[in-house]
């Protein structure tokens, strides 16, 4: 086996100029990428988006964390998802109706946390977890819940319900959970 070594590379002036121009264009396009604008993932804003399906996200509540002691994470069953999906299936709609009904009779806020199984990159899983949380938020709003009391967060593949590998474990980990702020 031959060891890899890196030698100082000398680029011709035209090639160096082309590389610098490409880098400058790339950076300028990043600066013009607006929050919730193009590249936001269809109907659902990215994790920095101000709205989901046109319904404004509320400001984050000071001192409230999905994992905090002031959040009850056991009141409702999680909504489960298919592989690589953020569509809320018909089988899961009863859970959505139950949470929406609770919200109509209570003034409490809810945090929706999206999770994935272990497959995929951390970045992809965080994005998919966010799209799952936002899909549940949108379904709750459609079922009559007040969107101003719904927040979303993504944990991606972190905090699995079942840490083993295999179809059964992965199915349990593809979920969105509800946290009721006390």
């Amino acid at each position: 086996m031959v060891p890899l070594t890196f030698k100082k590379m000398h680029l011709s002036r035209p090639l160096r100029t082309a590389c610098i121009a490409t880098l400058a264009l790339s950076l300028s396009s990043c600066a013009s990428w607006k929050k919730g604008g193009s590249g936001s993932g269809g109907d659902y804003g990215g994790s920095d988006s101000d709205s989901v399906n046109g319904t404004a996200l509320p400001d984050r509540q000071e001192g409230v964390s999905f994992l905090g002691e002031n959040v009850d994470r056991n009141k409702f069953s999680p909504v489960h998802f298919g592989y690589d999906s953020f569509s809320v299936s018909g089988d899961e709609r009863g859970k959505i109706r139950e949470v929406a009904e609770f919200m109509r009779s209570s003034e409490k806020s809810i945090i929706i946390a999206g999770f994935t199984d272990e497959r995929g990159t951390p970045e992809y899983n965080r994005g998919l977890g966010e799209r799952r949380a936002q899909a549940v938020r949108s379904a709750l709003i459609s079922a009559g819940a007040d969107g101003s009391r719904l927040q979303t967060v993504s944990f991606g593949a972190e905090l699995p319900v079942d840490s083993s590998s295999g179809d059964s474990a992965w199915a349990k980990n593809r979920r969105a959970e509800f946290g009721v702020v006390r």
Side-chain angles (χ1 to χ4, degrees), residues 9 19-20 30 37 42 45 51-52 68 75 83 99 109 111 117-118 124 127 130 138 147 156-157 164 174:
M9 292 177 32
C19 288
I20 291 170
C30 289
S51 68
V52 177
K75 184 160 183 63
Y83 172 71
V99 175
S109 294
I111 302 172
D117 61 39
E118 66 189 27
Y124 179 81
E130 182 66 21
S138 180
S164 60
R174 295 188 305 258

Side-chain angles (χ1 to χ4, degrees), residues 53 55 93 96-97 100 104 135-147 150:
N53 287 342
T55 304
R93 293 286 174 176
I96 298 291
R97 284 190 298 274
R104 285 191 300 270
V136 168
R137 180 180 188 272
S138 180
L140 283 168
I141 291 168
S142 294
D146 179 359
L150 293 168

Side-chain angles (χ1 to χ4, degrees), residues 91-181:
D91 295 348
E92 300 295 305
R93 293 286 174 176
K95 297 173 185 177
I96 298 291
R97 284 190 298 274
E98 180 184 358
V99 175
E101 185 176 310
F102 166 80
M103 290 192 73
R104 285 191 300 270
S105 65
S106 169
E107 293 298 316
K108 298 196 183 240
S109 294
I110 301 237
I111 302 172
I112 306 159
F115 299 88
T116 66
D117 61 39
E118 66 189 27
R119 299 171 291 177
T121 65
E123 295 82 12
Y124 179 81
N125 286 338
R126 282 280 172 109
L128 180 57
E130 182 66 21
R131 287 187 297 278
R132 286 176 174 166
Q134 291 174 352
V136 168
R137 180 180 188 272
S138 180
L140 283 168
I141 291 168
S142 294
D146 179 359
S148 70
R149 294 187 289 130
L150 293 168
Q151 295 183 24
T152 61
V153 65
S154 174
F155 289 95
E158 297 174 34
L159 307 172
V161 171
D162 187 337
S163 59
S164 60
S165 291
D167 291 335
S168 175
W170 294 332
K172 293 175 194 170
N173 294 331
R174 295 188 305 258
R175 70 198 190 280
E177 292 183 4
F178 302 97
V180 180
V181 180

Side-chain angles (χ1 to χ4, degrees), residues 64-73 111 178-182:
V64 175
S65 165
F66 182 76
L67 300 175
E69 291 180 19
N70 59 342
V71 175
D72 179 2
R73 294 179 305 281
I111 302 172
F178 302 97
V180 180
V181 180
R182 296 178 193 166

